mmCIF file of all heavy atoms in Angstrom:
data_model
loop_
_atom_site.group_PDB
_atom_site.id
_atom_site.type_symbol
_atom_site.label_atom_id
_atom_site.label_comp_id
_atom_site.label_asym_id
_atom_site.label_seq_id
_atom_site.Cartn_x
_atom_site.Cartn_y
_atom_site.Cartn_z
ATOM 1 N N GLU A 7 12.468 -25.310 -10.963
ATOM 2 C CA GLU A 7 12.542 -24.263 -11.924
ATOM 3 C C GLU A 7 11.416 -23.175 -11.732
ATOM 4 O O GLU A 7 11.738 -22.024 -11.630
ATOM 5 C CB GLU A 7 12.449 -24.713 -13.362
ATOM 6 C CG GLU A 7 13.768 -25.208 -13.837
ATOM 7 C CD GLU A 7 13.799 -25.440 -15.344
ATOM 8 O OE1 GLU A 7 12.793 -25.006 -16.056
ATOM 9 O OE2 GLU A 7 14.711 -26.095 -15.865
ATOM 10 N N ARG A 15 12.317 -13.797 -10.949
ATOM 11 C CA ARG A 15 11.565 -12.752 -11.681
ATOM 12 C C ARG A 15 11.468 -11.432 -10.746
ATOM 13 O O ARG A 15 11.695 -10.395 -11.248
ATOM 14 C CB ARG A 15 10.169 -13.317 -12.012
ATOM 15 C CG ARG A 15 9.487 -12.418 -13.062
ATOM 16 C CD ARG A 15 8.142 -12.915 -13.394
ATOM 17 N NE ARG A 15 7.286 -12.529 -12.232
ATOM 18 C CZ ARG A 15 5.912 -12.526 -12.331
ATOM 19 N NH1 ARG A 15 5.355 -12.993 -13.457
ATOM 20 N NH2 ARG A 15 5.178 -12.201 -11.303
ATOM 21 N N VAL A 25 17.856 0.107 -11.705
ATOM 22 C CA VAL A 25 18.759 0.566 -12.728
ATOM 23 C C VAL A 25 18.202 1.690 -13.611
ATOM 24 O O VAL A 25 18.817 2.567 -14.014
ATOM 25 C CB VAL A 25 19.251 -0.616 -13.605
ATOM 26 C CG1 VAL A 25 19.946 -0.065 -14.856
ATOM 27 C CG2 VAL A 25 20.105 -1.580 -12.849
ATOM 28 N N GLY A 49 28.139 9.584 -1.621
ATOM 29 C CA GLY A 49 27.461 8.277 -1.863
ATOM 30 C C GLY A 49 25.957 8.443 -1.399
ATOM 31 O O GLY A 49 25.289 7.417 -1.453
ATOM 32 N N VAL A 98 2.135 17.968 -42.781
ATOM 33 C CA VAL A 98 2.691 17.339 -43.998
ATOM 34 C C VAL A 98 2.564 15.851 -43.938
ATOM 35 O O VAL A 98 2.223 15.189 -44.886
ATOM 36 C CB VAL A 98 4.239 17.673 -44.164
ATOM 37 C CG1 VAL A 98 4.854 17.062 -45.372
ATOM 38 C CG2 VAL A 98 4.409 19.172 -44.210
ATOM 39 N N ARG A 110 -3.815 3.907 -54.178
ATOM 40 C CA ARG A 110 -2.847 3.237 -55.016
ATOM 41 C C ARG A 110 -2.404 4.209 -56.059
ATOM 42 O O ARG A 110 -3.156 4.710 -56.853
ATOM 43 C CB ARG A 110 -3.517 2.002 -55.810
ATOM 44 C CG ARG A 110 -3.733 0.861 -54.874
ATOM 45 C CD ARG A 110 -4.727 -0.054 -55.383
ATOM 46 N NE ARG A 110 -6.027 0.527 -55.334
ATOM 47 C CZ ARG A 110 -7.109 -0.006 -55.819
ATOM 48 N NH1 ARG A 110 -7.013 -1.224 -56.327
ATOM 49 N NH2 ARG A 110 -8.308 0.581 -55.765
ATOM 50 N N ARG A 114 4.037 3.882 -55.330
ATOM 51 C CA ARG A 114 3.634 3.986 -53.903
ATOM 52 C C ARG A 114 4.656 3.098 -52.982
ATOM 53 O O ARG A 114 5.074 3.628 -51.920
ATOM 54 C CB ARG A 114 2.235 3.429 -53.695
ATOM 55 C CG ARG A 114 1.763 3.499 -52.247
ATOM 56 C CD ARG A 114 0.421 2.926 -52.118
ATOM 57 N NE ARG A 114 0.428 1.551 -51.869
ATOM 58 C CZ ARG A 114 -0.541 0.822 -51.432
ATOM 59 N NH1 ARG A 114 -1.714 1.485 -51.211
ATOM 60 N NH2 ARG A 114 -0.465 -0.404 -51.167
ATOM 61 N N LEU A 122 11.317 4.758 -45.040
ATOM 62 C CA LEU A 122 11.974 3.842 -44.080
ATOM 63 C C LEU A 122 13.461 4.073 -44.218
ATOM 64 O O LEU A 122 14.241 4.227 -43.182
ATOM 65 C CB LEU A 122 11.611 2.453 -44.412
ATOM 66 C CG LEU A 122 11.884 1.474 -43.225
ATOM 67 C CD1 LEU A 122 10.918 1.858 -42.168
ATOM 68 C CD2 LEU A 122 11.641 0.094 -43.650
ATOM 69 N N VAL A 124 15.043 6.663 -45.286
ATOM 70 C CA VAL A 124 15.404 8.025 -44.727
ATOM 71 C C VAL A 124 15.451 8.017 -43.199
ATOM 72 O O VAL A 124 16.295 8.566 -42.559
ATOM 73 C CB VAL A 124 14.487 9.050 -45.256
ATOM 74 C CG1 VAL A 124 14.508 10.344 -44.440
ATOM 75 C CG2 VAL A 124 14.650 9.359 -46.697
ATOM 76 N N LEU A 126 16.202 5.586 -41.324
ATOM 77 C CA LEU A 126 17.412 4.935 -40.820
ATOM 78 C C LEU A 126 18.689 5.567 -41.278
ATOM 79 O O LEU A 126 19.765 5.100 -40.866
ATOM 80 C CB LEU A 126 17.405 3.462 -41.297
ATOM 81 C CG LEU A 126 16.161 2.660 -40.834
ATOM 82 C CD1 LEU A 126 16.101 1.314 -41.450
ATOM 83 C CD2 LEU A 126 16.199 2.493 -39.272
ATOM 84 N N VAL A 131 25.347 12.604 -41.889
ATOM 85 C CA VAL A 131 25.562 12.730 -43.328
ATOM 86 C C VAL A 131 24.787 13.962 -43.820
ATOM 87 O O VAL A 131 25.257 14.816 -44.617
ATOM 88 C CB VAL A 131 25.113 11.499 -44.095
ATOM 89 C CG1 VAL A 131 25.144 11.681 -45.581
ATOM 90 C CG2 VAL A 131 25.937 10.311 -43.643
ATOM 91 N N PRO A 135 26.177 19.021 -45.537
ATOM 92 C CA PRO A 135 25.806 20.027 -46.446
ATOM 93 C C PRO A 135 24.855 21.084 -45.873
ATOM 94 O O PRO A 135 24.926 22.251 -46.211
ATOM 95 C CB PRO A 135 25.054 19.260 -47.556
ATOM 96 C CG PRO A 135 24.772 17.925 -46.967
ATOM 97 C CD PRO A 135 25.733 17.696 -45.907
ATOM 98 N N VAL A 139 25.285 24.959 -46.260
ATOM 99 C CA VAL A 139 24.309 25.838 -46.765
ATOM 100 C C VAL A 139 23.979 26.896 -45.843
ATOM 101 O O VAL A 139 23.918 28.111 -46.138
ATOM 102 C CB VAL A 139 22.994 25.103 -47.129
ATOM 103 C CG1 VAL A 139 21.962 25.968 -47.673
ATOM 104 C CG2 VAL A 139 23.298 23.988 -48.215
ATOM 105 N N TYR A 166 5.653 6.803 -41.037
ATOM 106 C CA TYR A 166 5.629 5.331 -40.836
ATOM 107 C C TYR A 166 4.616 4.878 -39.759
ATOM 108 O O TYR A 166 3.906 3.964 -39.956
ATOM 109 C CB TYR A 166 7.060 4.948 -40.420
ATOM 110 C CG TYR A 166 7.278 3.445 -40.437
ATOM 111 C CD1 TYR A 166 7.234 2.861 -41.740
ATOM 112 C CD2 TYR A 166 7.480 2.762 -39.295
ATOM 113 C CE1 TYR A 166 7.428 1.481 -41.752
ATOM 114 C CE2 TYR A 166 7.603 1.346 -39.368
ATOM 115 C CZ TYR A 166 7.527 0.739 -40.617
ATOM 116 O OH TYR A 166 7.701 -0.616 -40.678
ATOM 117 N N TYR A 212 5.505 12.008 -29.798
ATOM 118 C CA TYR A 212 6.856 11.479 -30.188
ATOM 119 C C TYR A 212 7.662 12.467 -30.937
ATOM 120 O O TYR A 212 8.872 12.693 -30.665
ATOM 121 C CB TYR A 212 6.509 10.302 -31.096
ATOM 122 C CG TYR A 212 7.659 9.333 -31.164
ATOM 123 C CD1 TYR A 212 8.240 8.780 -29.954
ATOM 124 C CD2 TYR A 212 8.253 8.990 -32.390
ATOM 125 C CE1 TYR A 212 9.258 7.917 -30.098
ATOM 126 C CE2 TYR A 212 9.249 8.105 -32.521
ATOM 127 C CZ TYR A 212 9.845 7.559 -31.400
ATOM 128 O OH TYR A 212 10.895 6.735 -31.448
ATOM 129 N N ASN A 219 14.559 16.882 -27.567
ATOM 130 C CA ASN A 219 15.662 16.102 -27.063
ATOM 131 C C ASN A 219 16.897 16.297 -28.020
ATOM 132 O O ASN A 219 18.009 15.987 -27.715
ATOM 133 C CB ASN A 219 15.502 14.570 -26.991
ATOM 134 C CG ASN A 219 14.500 14.238 -25.912
ATOM 135 O OD1 ASN A 219 14.166 15.103 -25.081
ATOM 136 N ND2 ASN A 219 14.095 12.988 -25.822
ATOM 137 N N LEU A 225 23.595 22.028 -31.932
ATOM 138 C CA LEU A 225 25.012 22.305 -31.725
ATOM 139 C C LEU A 225 25.620 22.891 -33.023
ATOM 140 O O LEU A 225 26.398 23.896 -32.951
ATOM 141 C CB LEU A 225 25.684 20.983 -31.359
ATOM 142 C CG LEU A 225 27.277 21.140 -31.180
ATOM 143 C CD1 LEU A 225 27.596 21.952 -29.977
ATOM 144 C CD2 LEU A 225 27.803 19.641 -30.968
ATOM 145 N N ALA A 245 28.270 22.769 -19.258
ATOM 146 C CA ALA A 245 29.219 21.750 -18.733
ATOM 147 C C ALA A 245 30.615 21.984 -19.247
ATOM 148 O O ALA A 245 31.552 21.831 -18.527
ATOM 149 C CB ALA A 245 28.765 20.363 -19.060
ATOM 150 N N THR A 263 14.774 17.433 -18.457
ATOM 151 C CA THR A 263 14.005 16.070 -18.467
ATOM 152 C C THR A 263 12.577 16.189 -18.084
ATOM 153 O O THR A 263 11.778 15.441 -18.585
ATOM 154 C CB THR A 263 14.785 15.159 -17.509
ATOM 155 O OG1 THR A 263 16.268 15.171 -17.775
ATOM 156 C CG2 THR A 263 14.308 13.731 -17.668
ATOM 157 N N THR A 278 3.418 3.712 -26.268
ATOM 158 C CA THR A 278 3.907 2.372 -26.400
ATOM 159 C C THR A 278 3.055 1.658 -27.566
ATOM 160 O O THR A 278 3.674 0.898 -28.256
ATOM 161 C CB THR A 278 3.699 1.551 -25.134
ATOM 162 O OG1 THR A 278 2.437 1.808 -24.606
ATOM 163 C CG2 THR A 278 4.702 1.948 -24.125
ATOM 164 N N GLY A 284 2.579 -2.853 -35.493
ATOM 165 C CA GLY A 284 3.199 -3.447 -36.598
ATOM 166 C C GLY A 284 4.344 -4.318 -36.184
ATOM 167 O O GLY A 284 4.935 -5.061 -36.977
ATOM 168 N N MET B 1 -3.814 -4.711 -52.274
ATOM 169 C CA MET B 1 -2.771 -3.894 -51.671
ATOM 170 C C MET B 1 -1.412 -4.021 -52.377
ATOM 171 O O MET B 1 -0.593 -3.159 -52.467
ATOM 172 C CB MET B 1 -2.611 -4.244 -50.253
ATOM 173 C CG MET B 1 -3.714 -3.726 -49.377
ATOM 174 S SD MET B 1 -3.256 -2.163 -48.586
ATOM 175 C CE MET B 1 -4.643 -1.822 -47.616
ATOM 176 N N GLU B 31 -7.797 8.160 -58.019
ATOM 177 C CA GLU B 31 -7.225 7.698 -56.868
ATOM 178 C C GLU B 31 -5.687 7.964 -56.938
ATOM 179 O O GLU B 31 -5.023 8.447 -56.003
ATOM 180 C CB GLU B 31 -7.529 6.259 -56.559
ATOM 181 C CG GLU B 31 -6.969 5.757 -55.319
ATOM 182 C CD GLU B 31 -7.287 4.338 -55.021
ATOM 183 O OE1 GLU B 31 -8.451 3.896 -55.382
ATOM 184 O OE2 GLU B 31 -6.501 3.616 -54.466
ATOM 185 N N THR B 42 5.058 15.765 -48.550
ATOM 186 C CA THR B 42 5.934 14.974 -47.807
ATOM 187 C C THR B 42 7.178 14.687 -48.612
ATOM 188 O O THR B 42 8.277 14.833 -48.180
ATOM 189 C CB THR B 42 5.322 13.587 -47.356
ATOM 190 O OG1 THR B 42 4.002 13.882 -47.148
ATOM 191 C CG2 THR B 42 6.023 12.975 -46.288
ATOM 192 N N ILE B 50 16.473 16.251 -46.998
ATOM 193 C CA ILE B 50 17.257 15.047 -46.888
ATOM 194 C C ILE B 50 17.853 14.584 -48.202
ATOM 195 O O ILE B 50 19.093 14.309 -48.189
ATOM 196 C CB ILE B 50 16.377 13.910 -46.327
ATOM 197 C CG1 ILE B 50 15.798 14.315 -44.953
ATOM 198 C CG2 ILE B 50 17.228 12.640 -46.138
ATOM 199 C CD1 ILE B 50 14.727 13.391 -44.389
ATOM 200 N N PRO B 53 20.650 17.125 -49.597
ATOM 201 C CA PRO B 53 21.853 17.146 -48.688
ATOM 202 C C PRO B 53 22.657 15.818 -48.924
ATOM 203 O O PRO B 53 23.871 15.882 -48.947
ATOM 204 C CB PRO B 53 21.311 17.175 -47.359
ATOM 205 C CG PRO B 53 20.083 17.904 -47.468
ATOM 206 C CD PRO B 53 19.459 17.580 -48.732
ATOM 207 N N TRP B 56 24.458 16.059 -52.056
ATOM 208 C CA TRP B 56 25.522 17.044 -51.995
ATOM 209 C C TRP B 56 26.730 16.536 -51.174
ATOM 210 O O TRP B 56 27.854 16.800 -51.468
ATOM 211 C CB TRP B 56 24.923 18.257 -51.310
ATOM 212 C CG TRP B 56 25.799 19.471 -51.623
ATOM 213 C CD1 TRP B 56 27.018 19.628 -52.212
ATOM 214 C CD2 TRP B 56 25.457 20.916 -51.279
ATOM 215 N NE1 TRP B 56 27.445 20.876 -52.233
ATOM 216 C CE2 TRP B 56 26.550 21.643 -51.583
ATOM 217 C CE3 TRP B 56 24.329 21.421 -50.659
ATOM 218 C CZ2 TRP B 56 26.522 23.026 -51.442
ATOM 219 C CZ3 TRP B 56 24.312 22.828 -50.470
ATOM 220 C CH2 TRP B 56 25.385 23.522 -50.854
ATOM 221 N N THR B 57 26.396 15.747 -50.102
ATOM 222 C CA THR B 57 27.491 15.196 -49.362
ATOM 223 C C THR B 57 28.416 14.368 -50.235
ATOM 224 O O THR B 57 29.660 14.416 -50.188
ATOM 225 C CB THR B 57 26.981 14.313 -48.235
ATOM 226 O OG1 THR B 57 25.997 15.083 -47.466
ATOM 227 C CG2 THR B 57 28.072 13.815 -47.378
ATOM 228 N N ALA B 121 10.505 -10.828 -17.757
ATOM 229 C CA ALA B 121 10.231 -10.579 -16.347
ATOM 230 C C ALA B 121 8.834 -9.947 -16.155
ATOM 231 O O ALA B 121 8.179 -10.275 -15.160
ATOM 232 C CB ALA B 121 11.358 -9.734 -15.686
ATOM 233 N N LEU B 137 10.657 2.315 -19.584
ATOM 234 C CA LEU B 137 10.799 3.070 -20.839
ATOM 235 C C LEU B 137 11.504 4.392 -20.666
ATOM 236 O O LEU B 137 11.910 5.063 -21.667
ATOM 237 C CB LEU B 137 9.460 3.154 -21.513
ATOM 238 C CG LEU B 137 8.716 1.961 -21.812
ATOM 239 C CD1 LEU B 137 7.318 2.281 -22.342
ATOM 240 C CD2 LEU B 137 9.498 1.221 -22.839
ATOM 241 N N VAL B 141 13.102 7.540 -23.465
ATOM 242 C CA VAL B 141 12.500 8.809 -23.927
ATOM 243 C C VAL B 141 13.161 9.990 -23.294
ATOM 244 O O VAL B 141 13.024 11.113 -23.863
ATOM 245 C CB VAL B 141 11.027 8.807 -23.492
ATOM 246 C CG1 VAL B 141 10.181 7.822 -24.390
ATOM 247 C CG2 VAL B 141 10.853 8.596 -21.978
ATOM 248 N N ALA B 146 20.793 15.091 -20.818
ATOM 249 C CA ALA B 146 20.619 14.946 -19.408
ATOM 250 C C ALA B 146 21.121 13.542 -18.978
ATOM 251 O O ALA B 146 21.783 13.441 -17.975
ATOM 252 C CB ALA B 146 19.122 15.099 -18.978
ATOM 253 N N PHE B 149 24.851 13.268 -18.924
ATOM 254 C CA PHE B 149 25.357 13.993 -17.696
ATOM 255 C C PHE B 149 25.280 13.273 -16.458
ATOM 256 O O PHE B 149 26.269 13.181 -15.630
ATOM 257 C CB PHE B 149 24.572 15.328 -17.519
ATOM 258 C CG PHE B 149 25.294 16.361 -18.160
ATOM 259 C CD1 PHE B 149 24.601 17.513 -18.633
ATOM 260 C CD2 PHE B 149 26.666 16.338 -18.643
ATOM 261 C CE1 PHE B 149 25.247 18.482 -19.307
ATOM 262 C CE2 PHE B 149 27.253 17.305 -19.281
ATOM 263 C CZ PHE B 149 26.591 18.409 -19.679
ATOM 264 N N ASP B 164 32.116 5.840 -5.093
ATOM 265 C CA ASP B 164 31.939 5.879 -3.624
ATOM 266 C C ASP B 164 31.481 4.599 -3.149
ATOM 267 O O ASP B 164 32.022 4.002 -2.182
ATOM 268 C CB ASP B 164 30.980 7.030 -3.316
ATOM 269 C CG ASP B 164 30.903 7.301 -1.819
ATOM 270 O OD1 ASP B 164 31.901 7.728 -1.197
ATOM 271 O OD2 ASP B 164 29.854 6.957 -1.213
ATOM 272 N N TRP B 165 30.411 4.084 -3.709
ATOM 273 C CA TRP B 165 29.892 2.761 -3.305
ATOM 274 C C TRP B 165 30.880 1.627 -3.579
ATOM 275 O O TRP B 165 30.932 0.755 -2.738
ATOM 276 C CB TRP B 165 28.528 2.526 -3.982
ATOM 277 C CG TRP B 165 27.375 3.282 -3.408
ATOM 278 C CD1 TRP B 165 27.531 4.397 -2.607
ATOM 279 C CD2 TRP B 165 26.023 3.076 -3.506
ATOM 280 N NE1 TRP B 165 26.311 4.887 -2.261
ATOM 281 C CE2 TRP B 165 25.332 4.081 -2.827
ATOM 282 C CE3 TRP B 165 25.243 2.088 -4.158
ATOM 283 C CZ2 TRP B 165 23.939 4.184 -2.714
ATOM 284 C CZ3 TRP B 165 23.888 2.253 -4.155
ATOM 285 C CH2 TRP B 165 23.300 3.248 -3.468
ATOM 286 N N TRP B 195 21.775 0.350 -21.854
ATOM 287 C CA TRP B 195 20.909 0.866 -20.813
ATOM 288 C C TRP B 195 19.824 1.829 -21.516
ATOM 289 O O TRP B 195 18.720 1.693 -21.172
ATOM 290 C CB TRP B 195 21.678 1.710 -19.845
ATOM 291 C CG TRP B 195 20.830 2.366 -18.808
ATOM 292 C CD1 TRP B 195 20.233 1.815 -17.652
ATOM 293 C CD2 TRP B 195 20.454 3.742 -18.702
ATOM 294 N NE1 TRP B 195 19.554 2.816 -16.991
ATOM 295 C CE2 TRP B 195 19.652 3.933 -17.578
ATOM 296 C CE3 TRP B 195 20.738 4.867 -19.580
ATOM 297 C CZ2 TRP B 195 19.079 5.198 -17.264
ATOM 298 C CZ3 TRP B 195 20.085 6.038 -19.283
ATOM 299 C CH2 TRP B 195 19.388 6.247 -18.062
ATOM 300 N N THR B 226 9.700 -28.178 -18.717
ATOM 301 C CA THR B 226 9.961 -27.192 -17.653
ATOM 302 C C THR B 226 9.958 -25.775 -18.158
ATOM 303 O O THR B 226 10.091 -25.629 -19.436
ATOM 304 C CB THR B 226 11.269 -27.567 -16.935
ATOM 305 O OG1 THR B 226 12.368 -27.233 -17.840
ATOM 306 C CG2 THR B 226 11.333 -28.934 -16.501
ATOM 307 N N PRO B 227 9.860 -24.766 -17.227
ATOM 308 C CA PRO B 227 9.890 -23.371 -17.745
ATOM 309 C C PRO B 227 11.041 -23.089 -18.750
ATOM 310 O O PRO B 227 10.806 -22.408 -19.740
ATOM 311 C CB PRO B 227 10.007 -22.584 -16.505
ATOM 312 C CG PRO B 227 9.324 -23.453 -15.442
ATOM 313 C CD PRO B 227 9.599 -24.872 -15.865
ATOM 314 N N THR B 228 12.260 -23.582 -18.407
ATOM 315 C CA THR B 228 13.350 -23.141 -19.295
ATOM 316 C C THR B 228 13.304 -23.910 -20.604
ATOM 317 O O THR B 228 13.542 -23.264 -21.615
ATOM 318 C CB THR B 228 14.764 -23.499 -18.579
ATOM 319 O OG1 THR B 228 14.629 -24.838 -18.019
ATOM 320 C CG2 THR B 228 15.078 -22.527 -17.494
ATOM 321 N N ASN B 256 24.860 4.752 -36.611
ATOM 322 C CA ASN B 256 24.785 6.143 -36.903
ATOM 323 C C ASN B 256 25.023 7.135 -35.681
ATOM 324 O O ASN B 256 25.043 8.246 -35.850
ATOM 325 C CB ASN B 256 23.352 6.447 -37.237
ATOM 326 C CG ASN B 256 22.921 5.821 -38.465
ATOM 327 O OD1 ASN B 256 23.700 5.424 -39.236
ATOM 328 N ND2 ASN B 256 21.550 5.650 -38.626
ATOM 329 N N TYR B 279 32.233 14.623 -37.333
ATOM 330 C CA TYR B 279 31.965 15.887 -36.719
ATOM 331 C C TYR B 279 33.220 16.689 -36.427
ATOM 332 O O TYR B 279 33.246 17.889 -36.597
ATOM 333 C CB TYR B 279 31.140 15.692 -35.419
ATOM 334 C CG TYR B 279 30.875 16.898 -34.646
ATOM 335 C CD1 TYR B 279 29.876 17.785 -34.963
ATOM 336 C CD2 TYR B 279 31.756 17.243 -33.550
ATOM 337 C CE1 TYR B 279 29.696 18.965 -34.289
ATOM 338 C CE2 TYR B 279 31.589 18.433 -32.883
ATOM 339 C CZ TYR B 279 30.546 19.265 -33.183
ATOM 340 O OH TYR B 279 30.332 20.424 -32.510
ATOM 341 N N TYR B 309 17.495 -4.892 -44.487
ATOM 342 C CA TYR B 309 16.303 -4.654 -43.718
ATOM 343 C C TYR B 309 15.181 -4.647 -44.680
ATOM 344 O O TYR B 309 14.112 -5.361 -44.477
ATOM 345 C CB TYR B 309 16.424 -3.326 -42.985
ATOM 346 C CG TYR B 309 15.128 -3.029 -42.294
ATOM 347 C CD1 TYR B 309 14.951 -3.303 -40.976
ATOM 348 C CD2 TYR B 309 14.117 -2.263 -42.916
ATOM 349 C CE1 TYR B 309 13.813 -3.142 -40.274
ATOM 350 C CE2 TYR B 309 12.928 -1.964 -42.233
ATOM 351 C CZ TYR B 309 12.790 -2.367 -40.875
ATOM 352 O OH TYR B 309 11.596 -2.095 -40.274
ATOM 353 N N ARG B 317 6.313 -6.587 -44.729
ATOM 354 C CA ARG B 317 5.293 -5.575 -44.245
ATOM 355 C C ARG B 317 4.383 -5.100 -45.316
ATOM 356 O O ARG B 317 3.240 -4.863 -45.065
ATOM 357 C CB ARG B 317 6.075 -4.302 -43.757
ATOM 358 C CG ARG B 317 6.917 -4.618 -42.546
ATOM 359 C CD ARG B 317 6.526 -3.738 -41.451
ATOM 360 N NE ARG B 317 6.998 -4.354 -40.200
ATOM 361 C CZ ARG B 317 7.460 -3.675 -39.283
ATOM 362 N NH1 ARG B 317 7.573 -2.381 -39.290
ATOM 363 N NH2 ARG B 317 7.817 -4.280 -38.139
#
Side-chain angles (χ1 to χ4, degrees):
Chain A
E7 274 191 16
R15 196 183 75 165
V25 170
V98 179
R110 282 160 297 177
R114 185 179 88 164
L122 200 66
V124 162
L126 298 172
V131 175
V139 179
Y166 194 68
Y212 200 56
N219 293 352
L225 176 66
T263 311
T278 45
Chain B
M1 285 263 182
E31 185 178 323
T42 322
I50 302 170
W56 198 353
T57 307
L137 297 176
V141 293
F149 269 157
D164 186 67
W165 285 16
W195 176 79
T226 65
T228 47
N256 296 338
Y279 175 81
Y309 177 90
R317 293 236 161 142

